[in-house]
């Protein structure tokens, strides 16, 4: 029997009207029009003549714990889809590229067995599994962000206060094993970084590998690293020397620390920057290189009063604190910043079976949150005058799991989830970011300090390219649940005087568009869909138009688009002339 709480979590933002409409359509009847909304109308103004900054493809970065999923059936398929959603190269970051094991993926663990030692302690390198992963990246047209981690079994030091085996299986603490120990010999660790980089250059070519990014470890301020911060500085020093010895122009960086809003994480981050800024390398005594800076930013969803309640202010606060710290160093202020995990919460592999709140990942709340955070990160970059390169989504796919099990993923058993379609929308925007204002906007300071807990955030992000413009519009609220749609008028001005008509392509992501999850629910939530059902789910997972494309007349350099924005709905209005 389904409890009230589970029913709320499963249905997410599906309104009663939508459920009735779905049922009636399934019975072959046409539902009555939904009554006019009582929500206050929102007016959004877009001025294509007012540039506010460049539109950088910070969205085109993804990552996952289980590197071995890369070469599996649905992993390969999804990599191809990620390539296809972006006009610029997509970057992929994966854990466990250096971890020892048999190359079989499991939740929160993978391995390549690239390094071992003989009886005399001499290194032995085996690139078979690693090559399979990187060959798949090449085949699918994506680029690696090479995360140097974790510690090979034969190189991992024994620590007097740690007695766990090399691998601890989830749901145990998968980061508590010896794979997260420091090296027993830092010179061998540096040589491992050099040999792996040299192999990548030999196999894929110098010019190609120069386009990649090499990041040292992951979240060394928590239990991903089993010793002191100072030992991480040493790990970094030897790793970057190894990489740069093999490829002098390689892009290296770190420290991939957790949330800067946390004082402990912030202090670790600050001390690392101090080490690079003024210290000398433990590997060769010379000044330290750093070509990019990375840290993580995470939200914190909970269930309150039976409703999923997001914590977008936490992710925004992390970015705000991280950008401020970086901006305080003149040497680092203009370096590229990679938020190498930017997500609504921290555990991609924790499904809604583990935490019911995580079922938000199946529906429209996840993409609406992502759209809101997307603009917020751009605005925080502008405020601090820093150089944001990436908001990497730590989400991919989980092989051989239940359909819509509630993992933080982009697809489930080959079916695209709604969140993938918001990234497709991002990929249709280009050129410069231009001015927007909205009577329904939640101010940036409120977003950072309190989130969206009162009125919803009905806002927009707009771009102008060559003979085109795009306006991303969303109706987001931290608290999931039924709510009436918001009448929304989008006025787009600044269209060139010689243009008299524009083509509008209006894409929509809501309960009935670009949403395989609601279609799956309507089928009765099958765990073994028929061939016909699977084909229907595949089609429903694609980005869909709200209406047919239409030509709009331009009057005084502007057009108006009038629509109803559903709660947790997202639109992309793409104009071409």
């Amino acid at each position: 029997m389904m409890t009230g709480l589970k029913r709320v979590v499963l249905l997410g933002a599906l309104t009663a009207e939508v459920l009735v409409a779905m049922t009636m359509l399934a019975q072959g009847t046409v539902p009555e029009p939904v009554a006019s909304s009582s929500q206050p109308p929102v007016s959004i103004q877009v001025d294509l003549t007012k540039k506010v900054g460049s539109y950088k493809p910070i969205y085109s970065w993804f990552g996952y714990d289980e590197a071995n999923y890369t070469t599996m059936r649905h992993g390969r398929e999804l990599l191809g889809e990620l390539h296809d959603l972006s006009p610029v190269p997509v970057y992929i970051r994966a854990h466990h590229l250096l971890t020892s094991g048999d190359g079989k993926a499991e939740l929160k663990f993978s391995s390549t067995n690239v390094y071992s030692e003989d009886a005399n302690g001499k290194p032995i390198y085996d690139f078979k599994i690693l090559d399979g992963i990187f060959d798949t990246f090449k085949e699918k047209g994506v680029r690696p962000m090479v995360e140097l981690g974790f510690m090979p079994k034969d190189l991992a030091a024994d620590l007097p206060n740690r007695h766990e085996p090399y691998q601890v299986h989830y749901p145990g603490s998968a980061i508590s094993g010896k794979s997260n120990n420091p090296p027993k010999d830092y010179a061998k660790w540096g040589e491992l970084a050099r040999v792996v980089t040299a192999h990548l250059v030999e196999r894929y070519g110098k010019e190609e590998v120069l386009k990649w990014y090499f990041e040292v470890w992951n979240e060394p301020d928590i239990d991903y690293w089993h010793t002191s911060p100072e030992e991480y500085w040493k790990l970094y020093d030897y790793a970057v020397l190894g990489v740069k010895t093999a490829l002098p122009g390689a892009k290296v960086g770190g420290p991939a620390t957790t949330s800067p809003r946390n004082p402990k994480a912030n202090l670790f981050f600050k001390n690392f920057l101090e080490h690079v800024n003024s210290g000398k390398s433990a590997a060769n005594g010379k000044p330290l290189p750093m070509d990019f800076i990375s840290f993580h930013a995470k939200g914190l969803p909970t269930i309150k009063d039976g409703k999923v309640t997001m914590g977008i202010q936490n992710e925004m606060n992390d970015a705000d604190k991280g950008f401020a710290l970086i901006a305080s160093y003149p040497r680092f202020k203009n370096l590229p910043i990679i938020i190498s995990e930017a997500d609504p919460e921290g555990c991609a592999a924790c499904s809604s079976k583990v935490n019911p709140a995580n079922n938000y990942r199946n529906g429209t709340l996840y993409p609406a949150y992502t759209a809101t955070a997307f603009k917020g990160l751009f605005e925080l970059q502008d405020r601090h005058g820093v150089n944001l390169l990436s908001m990497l989504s730590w989400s991919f796919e989980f092989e051989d799991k239940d359909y819509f099990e509630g993992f933080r993923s982009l697809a489930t058993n080959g079916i695209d989830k709604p969140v993938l379609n918001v990234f497709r929308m991002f990929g249709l925007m280009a050129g410069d970011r231009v001015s927007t204002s909205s009577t329904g906007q939640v101010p940036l300071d409120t977003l950072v300090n309190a989130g969206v807990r009162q009125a919803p955030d009905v806002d927009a992000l707009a771009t102008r390219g060559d003979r085109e413009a795009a306006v991303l519009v969303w109706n987001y609220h931290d608290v999931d649940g039924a709510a009436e749609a918001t009448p929304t008028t989008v006025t787009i001005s600044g269209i060139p005087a010689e243009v008299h008509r524009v083509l509008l392509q209006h894409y929509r992501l809501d309960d009935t568009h670009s949403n395989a999850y609601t279609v799956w629910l309507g089928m009765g939530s099958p765990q073994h869909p028929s061939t016909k059902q699977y084909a229907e789910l595949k089609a429903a997972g694609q980005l869909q138009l709200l209406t047919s494309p239409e030509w709009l007349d331009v009057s005084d350099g502007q057009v108006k688009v009038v629509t109803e924005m559903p709660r947790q709905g997202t639109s992309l209005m793409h104009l071409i002339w």
Side-chain angles (χ1 to χ4, degrees):
M1 179 177 179
M2 185 178 292
T3 67
L5 172 59
K6 288 185 178 178
R7 182 175 179 81
V8 168
V9 173
L10 280 173
L11 294 181
L14 289 183
T15 64
E17 291 86 351
V18 170
L19 289 171
V20 169
M22 291 170 64
T23 302
M24 294 180 71
L25 286 170
Q27 295 172 348
T29 58
V30 178
E32 292 294 325
V34 177
S36 298
S37 174
S38 62
Q39 292 284 328
V42 166
S43 173
I44 295 174
Q45 303 291 324
V46 179
D47 188 342
L48 300 181
T49 66
K50 292 184 178 179
K51 175 182 175 180
V52 298
S54 62
Y55 180 71
K56 295 182 290 185
I58 64 172
Y59 61 85
S60 63
W61 301 67
F62 301 89
Y64 41 101
D65 289 75
E66 302 82 2
N68 299 122
Y69 283 158
T70 302
T71 57
M72 299 180 74
R73 173 191 171 189
H74 294 307
R76 294 172 59 86
E77 179 182 2
L78 182 54
L79 286 174
E81 290 189 275
L82 295 180
H83 167 272
D84 293 347
L85 69 76
S86 172
V88 300
V90 165
Y91 282 86
I92 302 295
R93 174 183 186 254
H95 289 341
H96 296 290
L97 294 178
L98 305 180
T99 305
S100 300
D102 60 7
K104 294 180 180 178
E106 57 182 271
L107 290 180
K108 298 183 76 67
F109 192 85
S110 274
S111 57
T112 65
N113 220 44
V114 70
Y115 178 97
S116 60
E117 295 182 357
D118 66 15
N120 297 317
K122 181 180 178 182
I124 301 170
Y125 293 94
D126 182 350
F127 291 102
K128 180 179 179 181
I129 297 173
L130 192 69
D131 285 348
I133 292 169
F134 280 74
D135 286 354
T136 303
F137 291 155
K138 180 181 178 180
E139 176 191 342
K140 297 302 178 180
V142 300
R143 290 178 181 166
M145 179 181 181
V146 184
E147 181 198 298
L148 297 173
F150 295 113
M151 197 59 61
K153 186 174 184 178
D154 289 350
L155 191 53
D158 292 314
L159 298 177
N161 61 333
R162 308 291 303 220
H163 305 289
E164 294 84 359
Y166 181 74
Q167 180 187 359
V168 176
H169 299 271
Y170 180 81
S173 176
I175 61 175
S176 65
K178 199 175 175 181
S179 58
N180 292 88
N181 282 9
K184 62 185 181 184
D185 184 326
Y186 279 92
K188 285 185 175 180
W189 163 255
E191 180 66 2
L192 169 60
R194 186 198 68 79
V195 171
V196 168
T197 305
H199 175 80
L200 295 174
V201 170
E202 180 182 11
R203 190 171 183 87
Y204 304 105
K206 175 183 175 181
E207 294 308 312
E208 174 61 25
V209 181
L210 283 171
K211 299 171 185 174
W212 302 357
Y213 295 82
F214 290 80
E215 183 184 45
V216 182
W217 214 254
N218 176 71
E219 298 185 344
D221 58 303
I222 61 171
D223 209 37
Y224 272 100
W225 179 244
H226 292 168
T227 186
S228 68
E230 291 74 20
E231 290 294 302
Y232 174 74
W233 314 161
K234 193 173 180 180
L235 186 87
Y236 177 88
D237 297 354
Y238 276 87
V240 298
L241 176 62
V243 172
K244 294 259 187 193
T245 298
L247 184 62
K251 294 189 278 283
V252 298
T257 43
T258 62
S259 304
R261 73 178 188 272
N262 178 287
K264 179 177 177 289
N266 194 294
L267 180 62
F268 188 109
F269 193 9
K270 181 178 186 298
N271 288 341
F272 170 77
L273 294 179
E274 286 286 350
H275 170 66
V276 176
N277 190 45
S278 58
K280 301 296 183 182
S281 171
N284 63 5
K286 296 181 179 180
L288 285 155
M290 184 164 65
D291 303 298
F292 67 89
I293 302 171
S294 64
F295 67 90
H296 296 170
K298 302 280 187 175
L300 186 65
T302 58
I303 292 181
K304 295 181 180 179
D305 301 322
K307 296 180 179 179
V308 176
T309 302
M310 305 301 283
I312 197 169
Q313 74 276 12
N314 296 297
E315 183 177 344
M316 295 296 98
N317 199 356
D318 279 339
D320 189 40
K321 296 286 197 302
F323 292 167
L325 179 58
I326 293 166
S328 70
Y329 289 87
R331 174 185 169 189
F332 301 145
K333 186 173 183 179
N334 294 320
L335 281 185
I337 297 171
I338 297 176
I339 305 181
S340 52
E341 294 183 24
D343 303 293
E345 30 63 37
C347 181
C350 302
S351 76
S352 53
K353 292 180 179 178
V354 175
N355 179 3
N358 286 344
N359 210 70
Y360 83 86
R361 298 156 164 181
N362 287 328
T364 56
L365 178 55
Y366 187 8
Y369 174 107
T370 303
T372 306
F374 188 53
K375 181 178 183 180
L377 290 173
F378 272 122
E379 290 187 327
L380 287 170
Q381 170 207 244
D382 297 344
R383 173 178 288 183
H384 292 286
V386 294
N387 178 18
L388 180 61
L389 181 66
S390 158
M391 53 159 256
L392 187 149
S393 177
W394 197 251
S395 56
F396 189 56
E397 65 98 19
F398 290 86
E399 207 83 17
D400 299 324
K401 303 298 179 186
D402 285 350
Y403 283 80
F404 296 101
E405 191 173 332
F407 293 103
R408 192 171 68 239
S409 57
L410 304 171
T412 173
N413 292 303
I415 304 300
D416 294 344
K417 293 168 70 173
V419 69
L420 186 54
N421 285 316
V422 83
F423 288 100
R424 289 184 170 123
M425 288 179 174
F426 298 161
L428 292 173
M429 305 176 77
D432 293 322
R433 287 178 290 128
V434 296
S435 172
T436 62
S437 63
S438 172
T439 59
Q441 177 189 19
V442 172
L444 179 61
D445 286 336
T446 303
L447 198 65
V448 171
N449 296 317
V452 185
R453 300 299 174 92
Q454 303 301 319
D457 183 43
V458 184
D459 199 11
L461 174 71
T463 59
R464 177 179 176 172
D466 183 19
R467 302 185 65 83
E468 66 172 330
V471 185
L472 185 74
V473 182
W474 56 87
N475 180 354
Y476 170 75
H477 200 283
D478 277 339
V479 181
D480 202 15
E484 291 181 291
T486 298
T488 305
T489 300
V490 180
T491 303
I492 304 163
S493 63
I495 297 171
E498 67 274 14
V499 176
H500 303 292
R501 302 189 82 198
V502 296
L503 178 66
L504 170 66
Q505 298 166 322
H506 188 168
Y507 298 92
R508 172 61 64 81
L509 198 171
D510 59 21
D511 286 332
T512 56
H513 299 87
S514 313
N515 192 332
Y517 179 55
T518 52
V519 173
W520 180 76
L521 290 175
M523 291 175 175
S525 308
Q527 285 302 332
H528 302 283
S530 67
T531 302
K532 181 175 182 292
Q533 286 176 320
Y534 192 84
E536 292 173 359
L537 291 170
K538 289 285 283 187
Q542 303 304 301
L543 181 59
Q544 298 168 356
L545 289 167
L546 177 65
T547 62
S548 295
E550 55 183 311
W551 286 95
L552 304 180
D553 292 325
V554 178
S555 177
D556 296 324
Q558 69 178 30
V559 294
K560 292 182 184 290
V561 180
V562 180
T563 190
E564 297 274 322
M565 285 302 302
R567 179 64 58 86
Q568 317 300 15
T570 309
S571 275
L572 182 76
M573 301 169 187
H574 190 208
L575 301 178
I576 303 172
W577 60 84

